[in-house]
């Protein structure tokens, strides 16, 4: 069996499963957020009754993160719906925006977009917050009402995005009927070279197989090259399995996984026991391909879909209006570190927005010193408009007052985010080009698409 | 339940993602609140670029579309897991989407909500038909018939998915088939 088959067999209580089997699997964690949570709660109450209890109050994790720092009243109300539900259900893992469990959330636009407006429990972007807060464990099944839930596959678990109705079903029963996906195997070899990042690995793979090349399938990333990838790197790669249509992305378990998971579960007091899975030697995959990390170059996925791969060099000289670094995919501490390495001591030439994924990352950037400056200061000095209000922000457009949103038609933005269909970051007449944080940084400096190695020699 | 759909088609091309079906700015609407369900329908497919799609799926100021059937190319519904996507289409009055292929989560959300039938085509009809052309979709026969030419194109069978949508979605099907209990009395 493959990694995915192993996890699903265990979750279904079966000795083995194979691709194509329909099985009922038990969920370990169900995650939802402010955009899909209220609808999921609505389905749960409609179907199980207004006074029904969730299947496991410690298994439901609610992380408001999408439309938080906006004056849009419906969005503010949606956070309040989550709070009321978490209180009624006695949920331990509700990462509220505010500290008062009986309060209401209202964004204060007069205070501006930059300074922190959240309370002590707020956790930021769900996919980055889940591992940080100790909710990702090898061998487990995670369902989330968000397509980038597949990011948690970095931790050797089965993680996939589902809709509100399926999530309402899981909320009430703890189970979901799934078809076991076929596995596409990407064997990573070698090591990434300077200026080349994990983002380039996944843009390369999607470019190879196309934006629907993994539809209904699992994407398994294994091989000796995995050892050289940090957990942040693996998260970036697993995150974008959905951009090839994949059901999930998954990595093998190793000492790095163990170290990360054990540190976070211990720190946060979440369940520490876990049992990783290992693929069988005779695993059956529907596709196998070697990815030579040494040979990869900085890449860009062009408007209008994540499969439009070109090298940054090929596109060199294409003029840009804006740059953006942030999101689950591209807003981790390591992403800002690589961005800072490129822009340090230089100035960006175009509007450049930075949105860390979580408050923990904000703190790390503000307290990590490179010589006489913090990383935060280095970015600010370079002209990056950095907000402390960690969240999804303009990655998916959002309400019109969202920080960094592309409200004008005709703008071209290079972005460290994960999706670039028309209108993704705002105006449907704008264009998004996806690249690594290093490539975004170099391009922000030059005002046109630029290979980051030009600044790193 | 309805098994024959007749009417004008709205034609889109490949790779219509969930942001084009229902732009993210409207995800502040909660589908289980009746009034917001209706408003989601008014925005269905409004994320399509105007230059490529000069006719809107739902006319300005309307809640419902005049096109009960959508014809698409490959990978319809790719992108986000937002259930608002099939719900916006269903709320606007779409009963069937005919596409060459569907993205996984969108397809699953159509079934779970019972909002519409996602049917796979065996021909690239989005190249042949124009928005406003009339067709008849017969789910029992698994065919679509183009009114003007009389051409009959087979659909891939819906299989196990059909009875779930016929029942009205995942929960109704699960109850009909005894997989879960009847709902608790609501307070």
């Amino acid at each position: 069996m493959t990694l995915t088959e192993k996890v699903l067999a265990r979750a279904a209580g079966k000795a083995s499963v194979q691709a194509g089997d329909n099985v009922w699997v038990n969920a370990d964690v169900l995650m939802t957020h402010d955009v899909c949570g209220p609808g999921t709660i609505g389905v749960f109450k409609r179907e199980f009754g207004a006074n029904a209890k969730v299947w496991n109050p410690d298994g439901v994790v609610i992380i408001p993160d999408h439309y938080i720092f906006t004056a849009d009243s419906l969005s503010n109300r949606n956070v309040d719906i989550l709070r009321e539900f978490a209180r009624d259900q006695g949920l331990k893992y509700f990462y509220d925006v505010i500290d008062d469990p009986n309060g209401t959330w209202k964004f204060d636009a007069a205070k501006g977009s930059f300074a922190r407006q959240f309370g002590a429990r707020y956790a930021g972007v769900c996919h980055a917050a889940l591992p940080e807060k100790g909710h990702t464990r090898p061998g487990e099944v995670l369902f989330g009402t968000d397509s980038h839930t597949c990011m948690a596959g970095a931790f050797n678990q089965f993680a996939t995005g589902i809709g509100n109705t399926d999530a309402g079903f899981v909320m009430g029963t703890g189970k979901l009927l799934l078809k076991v996906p076929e596995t596409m195997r990407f064997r990573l070899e070698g090591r990434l070279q300077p200026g080349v990042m994990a983002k380039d690995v996944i843009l390369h793979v999607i470019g190879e197989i196309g934006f629907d090349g993994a539809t209904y399938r699992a994407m398994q990333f294994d091989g000796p090259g995995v050892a050289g990838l940090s957990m942040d790197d693996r998260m970036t790669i697993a995150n974008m399995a959905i951009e090839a249509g994949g059901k999930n992305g998954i990595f093998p378990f190793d000492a790095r996984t163990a170290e990360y998971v054990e540190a976070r579960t211990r720190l946060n007091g979440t369940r520490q026991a876990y049992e990783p899975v290992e693929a069988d030697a005779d695993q059956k995959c529907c596709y196998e391909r070697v990815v030579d990390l040494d040979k990869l170059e900085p890449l860009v996925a062009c408007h209008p879909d994540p499969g439009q791969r070109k090298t940054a060099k090929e596109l060199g000289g294409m003029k840009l209006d804006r740059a953006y670094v942030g999101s689950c995919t591209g807003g981790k501490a390591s992403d800002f570190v690589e961005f800072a390495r490129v822009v340090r001591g230089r100035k960006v030439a175009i509007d450049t927005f930075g949105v860390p994924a979580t408050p923990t990352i904000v703190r790390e950037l503000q307290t990590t010193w490179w010589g006489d400056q913090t990383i935060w200061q280095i970015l600010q000095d370079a002209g990056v408009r950095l907000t402390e209000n960690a969240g999804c922000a303009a990655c998916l457009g959002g309400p019109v007052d969202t920080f960094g949103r592309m409200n004008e038609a005709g703008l071209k933005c290079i972005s460290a985010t994960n999706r670039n269909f028309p209108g993704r970051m705002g105006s449907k007449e704008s264009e998004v080009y996806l690249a690594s944080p290093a490539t975004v940084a170099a391009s922000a400096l030059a005002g046109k698409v630029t290979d980051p190695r030009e600044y790193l020699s | 339940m309805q098994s024959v759909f007749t009417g004008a088609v709205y034609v889109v091309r490949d790779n219509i993602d969930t942001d084009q079906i229902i732009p993210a700015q409207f995800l502040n609407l909660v589908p289980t609140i009746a009034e917001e369900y209706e408003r989601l329908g008014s925005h269905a497919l409004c994320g399509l670029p105007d230059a490529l799609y000069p006719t809107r799926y739902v006319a300005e100021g309307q809640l419902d579309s005049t096109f009960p059937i959508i014809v698409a190319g490959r990978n319809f519904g790719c992108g986000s897991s937002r259930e608002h996507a099939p719900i916006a289409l269903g709320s606007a009055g779409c009963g069937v989407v005919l596409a060459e292929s569907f993205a996984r989560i969108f397809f699953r959300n159509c079934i779970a909500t019972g909002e519409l039938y996602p049917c796979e085509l065996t021909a690239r009809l989005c190249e042949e038909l124009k928005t406003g052309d009339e067709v008849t979709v017969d789910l029992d026969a698994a065919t679509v018939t183009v009114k003007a030419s009389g051409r009959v194109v087979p659909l891939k069978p819906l299989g196990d998915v059909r009875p779930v949508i016929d029942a009205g979605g995942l929960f109704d099907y699960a109850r009909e088939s005894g997989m879960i209990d009847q709902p608790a009395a609501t307070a």
Side-chain angles (χ1 to χ4, degrees), chain A residues 434-455:
Chain A
L434 305 174
S436 75
T439 301
V440 172
S443 305
L445 292 175
K448 55 190 188 183
V449 177
T450 302
D451 187 319
R453 294 172 298 189
E454 288 185 25
Y455 289 98

mmCIF file of all heavy atoms in Angstrom, chain A residues 434-455:
data_model
loop_
_atom_site.group_PDB
_atom_site.id
_atom_site.type_symbol
_atom_site.label_atom_id
_atom_site.label_comp_id
_atom_site.label_asym_id
_atom_site.label_seq_id
_atom_site.Cartn_x
_atom_site.Cartn_y
_atom_site.Cartn_z
ATOM 1 N N LEU A 434 2.429 33.403 -9.930
ATOM 2 C CA LEU A 434 2.862 32.727 -8.703
ATOM 3 C C LEU A 434 4.349 32.413 -8.760
ATOM 4 O O LEU A 434 4.851 31.928 -9.772
ATOM 5 C CB LEU A 434 2.092 31.416 -8.522
ATOM 6 C CG LEU A 434 0.569 31.522 -8.528
ATOM 7 C CD1 LEU A 434 -0.052 30.125 -8.479
ATOM 8 C CD2 LEU A 434 0.083 32.376 -7.377
ATOM 9 N N ALA A 435 5.032 32.682 -7.642
ATOM 10 C CA ALA A 435 6.462 32.395 -7.591
ATOM 11 C C ALA A 435 6.886 32.200 -6.147
ATOM 12 O O ALA A 435 6.093 32.406 -5.218
ATOM 13 C CB ALA A 435 7.244 33.542 -8.225
ATOM 14 N N SER A 436 8.146 31.812 -5.960
ATOM 15 C CA SER A 436 8.670 31.626 -4.607
ATOM 16 C C SER A 436 8.865 32.990 -3.953
ATOM 17 O O SER A 436 8.976 34.018 -4.641
ATOM 18 C CB SER A 436 10.015 30.913 -4.676
ATOM 19 O OG SER A 436 11.004 31.834 -5.109
ATOM 20 N N PRO A 437 8.953 33.033 -2.619
ATOM 21 C CA PRO A 437 9.229 34.316 -1.951
ATOM 22 C C PRO A 437 10.523 34.965 -2.454
ATOM 23 O O PRO A 437 10.585 36.200 -2.575
ATOM 24 C CB PRO A 437 9.348 33.913 -0.472
ATOM 25 C CG PRO A 437 8.472 32.703 -0.359
ATOM 26 C CD PRO A 437 8.662 31.958 -1.651
ATOM 27 N N ALA A 438 11.530 34.178 -2.776
ATOM 28 C CA ALA A 438 12.783 34.761 -3.285
ATOM 29 C C ALA A 438 12.567 35.424 -4.645
ATOM 30 O O ALA A 438 13.065 36.530 -4.905
ATOM 31 C CB ALA A 438 13.863 33.679 -3.384
ATOM 32 N N THR A 439 11.822 34.747 -5.509
ATOM 33 C CA THR A 439 11.553 35.318 -6.836
ATOM 34 C C THR A 439 10.641 36.547 -6.721
ATOM 35 O O THR A 439 10.832 37.535 -7.437
ATOM 36 C CB THR A 439 10.924 34.251 -7.763
ATOM 37 O OG1 THR A 439 11.838 33.153 -7.852
ATOM 38 C CG2 THR A 439 10.642 34.793 -9.151
ATOM 39 N N VAL A 440 9.675 36.485 -5.806
ATOM 40 C CA VAL A 440 8.809 37.651 -5.589
ATOM 41 C C VAL A 440 9.667 38.836 -5.119
ATOM 42 O O VAL A 440 9.502 39.969 -5.589
ATOM 43 C CB VAL A 440 7.690 37.336 -4.566
ATOM 44 C CG1 VAL A 440 6.921 38.602 -4.189
ATOM 45 C CG2 VAL A 440 6.735 36.286 -5.136
ATOM 46 N N ALA A 441 10.606 38.555 -4.213
ATOM 47 C CA ALA A 441 11.458 39.627 -3.676
ATOM 48 C C ALA A 441 12.311 40.259 -4.778
ATOM 49 O O ALA A 441 12.362 41.487 -4.915
ATOM 50 C CB ALA A 441 12.357 39.052 -2.579
ATOM 51 N N ALA A 442 12.961 39.422 -5.576
ATOM 52 C CA ALA A 442 13.815 39.944 -6.650
ATOM 53 C C ALA A 442 12.987 40.745 -7.653
ATOM 54 O O ALA A 442 13.414 41.805 -8.138
ATOM 55 C CB ALA A 442 14.539 38.790 -7.349
ATOM 56 N N SER A 443 11.793 40.245 -7.932
ATOM 57 C CA SER A 443 10.926 40.918 -8.898
ATOM 58 C C SER A 443 10.409 42.243 -8.331
ATOM 59 O O SER A 443 10.223 43.209 -9.082
ATOM 60 C CB SER A 443 9.752 40.010 -9.268
ATOM 61 O OG SER A 443 10.232 38.757 -9.740
ATOM 62 N N ALA A 444 10.179 42.288 -7.014
ATOM 63 C CA ALA A 444 9.743 43.539 -6.373
ATOM 64 C C ALA A 444 10.843 44.591 -6.481
ATOM 65 O O ALA A 444 10.573 45.767 -6.705
ATOM 66 C CB ALA A 444 9.391 43.291 -4.908
ATOM 67 N N LEU A 445 12.089 44.164 -6.342
ATOM 68 C CA LEU A 445 13.216 45.105 -6.435
ATOM 69 C C LEU A 445 13.342 45.674 -7.839
ATOM 70 O O LEU A 445 13.578 46.866 -8.030
ATOM 71 C CB LEU A 445 14.530 44.408 -6.065
ATOM 72 C CG LEU A 445 14.694 43.976 -4.601
ATOM 73 C CD1 LEU A 445 15.998 43.199 -4.429
ATOM 74 C CD2 LEU A 445 14.662 45.178 -3.658
ATOM 75 N N ALA A 446 13.175 44.789 -8.839
ATOM 76 C CA ALA A 446 13.402 45.209 -10.228
ATOM 77 C C ALA A 446 12.145 45.798 -10.870
ATOM 78 O O ALA A 446 12.231 46.453 -11.911
ATOM 79 C CB ALA A 446 13.900 44.016 -11.042
ATOM 80 N N GLY A 447 10.964 45.508 -10.284
ATOM 81 C CA GLY A 447 9.716 45.972 -10.901
ATOM 82 C C GLY A 447 9.336 45.149 -12.113
ATOM 83 O O GLY A 447 8.431 45.500 -12.865
ATOM 84 N N LYS A 448 10.028 44.050 -12.306
ATOM 85 C CA LYS A 448 9.716 43.126 -13.406
ATOM 86 C C LYS A 448 10.139 41.733 -12.970
ATOM 87 O O LYS A 448 10.918 41.600 -12.002
ATOM 88 C CB LYS A 448 10.454 43.557 -14.676
ATOM 89 C CG LYS A 448 11.935 43.682 -14.470
ATOM 90 C CD LYS A 448 12.621 44.332 -15.658
ATOM 91 C CE LYS A 448 14.115 44.216 -15.388
ATOM 92 N NZ LYS A 448 15.022 44.773 -16.277
ATOM 93 N N VAL A 449 9.648 40.718 -13.647
ATOM 94 C CA VAL A 449 9.966 39.352 -13.236
ATOM 95 C C VAL A 449 11.475 39.146 -13.293
ATOM 96 O O VAL A 449 12.115 39.456 -14.303
ATOM 97 C CB VAL A 449 9.254 38.314 -14.134
ATOM 98 C CG1 VAL A 449 9.654 36.899 -13.720
ATOM 99 C CG2 VAL A 449 7.752 38.492 -14.062
ATOM 100 N N THR A 450 12.027 38.662 -12.175
ATOM 101 C CA THR A 450 13.483 38.565 -12.059
ATOM 102 C C THR A 450 13.890 37.282 -11.336
ATOM 103 O O THR A 450 13.302 36.927 -10.325
ATOM 104 C CB THR A 450 14.013 39.783 -11.272
ATOM 105 O OG1 THR A 450 13.604 40.979 -11.954
ATOM 106 C CG2 THR A 450 15.535 39.773 -11.177
ATOM 107 N N ASP A 451 14.900 36.633 -11.862
ATOM 108 C CA ASP A 451 15.480 35.442 -11.224
ATOM 109 C C ASP A 451 16.222 35.904 -9.963
ATOM 110 O O ASP A 451 17.099 36.765 -10.039
ATOM 111 C CB ASP A 451 16.454 34.785 -12.218
ATOM 112 C CG ASP A 451 16.977 33.443 -11.720
ATOM 113 O OD1 ASP A 451 17.288 33.333 -10.513
ATOM 114 O OD2 ASP A 451 17.092 32.519 -12.551
ATOM 115 N N PRO A 452 15.880 35.350 -8.778
ATOM 116 C CA PRO A 452 16.480 35.851 -7.534
ATOM 117 C C PRO A 452 17.991 35.658 -7.472
ATOM 118 O O PRO A 452 18.667 36.347 -6.713
ATOM 119 C CB PRO A 452 15.778 35.028 -6.445
ATOM 120 C CG PRO A 452 15.237 33.817 -7.132
ATOM 121 C CD PRO A 452 14.931 34.243 -8.535
ATOM 122 N N ARG A 453 18.511 34.744 -8.268
ATOM 123 C CA ARG A 453 19.958 34.505 -8.224
ATOM 124 C C ARG A 453 20.753 35.725 -8.694
ATOM 125 O O ARG A 453 21.919 35.854 -8.394
ATOM 126 C CB ARG A 453 20.298 33.241 -9.037
ATOM 127 C CG ARG A 453 19.707 31.987 -8.386
ATOM 128 C CD ARG A 453 19.848 30.762 -9.234
ATOM 129 N NE ARG A 453 19.137 30.893 -10.517
ATOM 130 C CZ ARG A 453 18.965 29.906 -11.366
ATOM 131 N NH1 ARG A 453 19.429 28.695 -11.090
ATOM 132 N NH2 ARG A 453 18.330 30.093 -12.502
ATOM 133 N N GLU A 454 20.049 36.632 -9.400
ATOM 134 C CA GLU A 454 20.727 37.879 -9.801
ATOM 135 C C GLU A 454 21.112 38.723 -8.596
ATOM 136 O O GLU A 454 21.999 39.567 -8.683
ATOM 137 C CB GLU A 454 19.817 38.704 -10.723
ATOM 138 C CG GLU A 454 19.674 38.090 -12.096
ATOM 139 C CD GLU A 454 18.868 38.975 -13.035
ATOM 140 O OE1 GLU A 454 18.816 40.206 -12.819
ATOM 141 O OE2 GLU A 454 18.295 38.421 -13.990
ATOM 142 N N TYR A 455 20.410 38.515 -7.480
ATOM 143 C CA TYR A 455 20.688 39.313 -6.283
ATOM 144 C C TYR A 455 21.435 38.528 -5.215
ATOM 145 O O TYR A 455 21.754 39.071 -4.167
ATOM 146 C CB TYR A 455 19.384 39.839 -5.681
ATOM 147 C CG TYR A 455 18.728 40.912 -6.504
ATOM 148 C CD1 TYR A 455 17.688 40.603 -7.374
ATOM 149 C CD2 TYR A 455 19.161 42.239 -6.417
ATOM 150 C CE1 TYR A 455 17.087 41.600 -8.131
ATOM 151 C CE2 TYR A 455 18.563 43.232 -7.172
ATOM 152 C CZ TYR A 455 17.525 42.912 -8.030
ATOM 153 O OH TYR A 455 16.932 43.892 -8.767
#
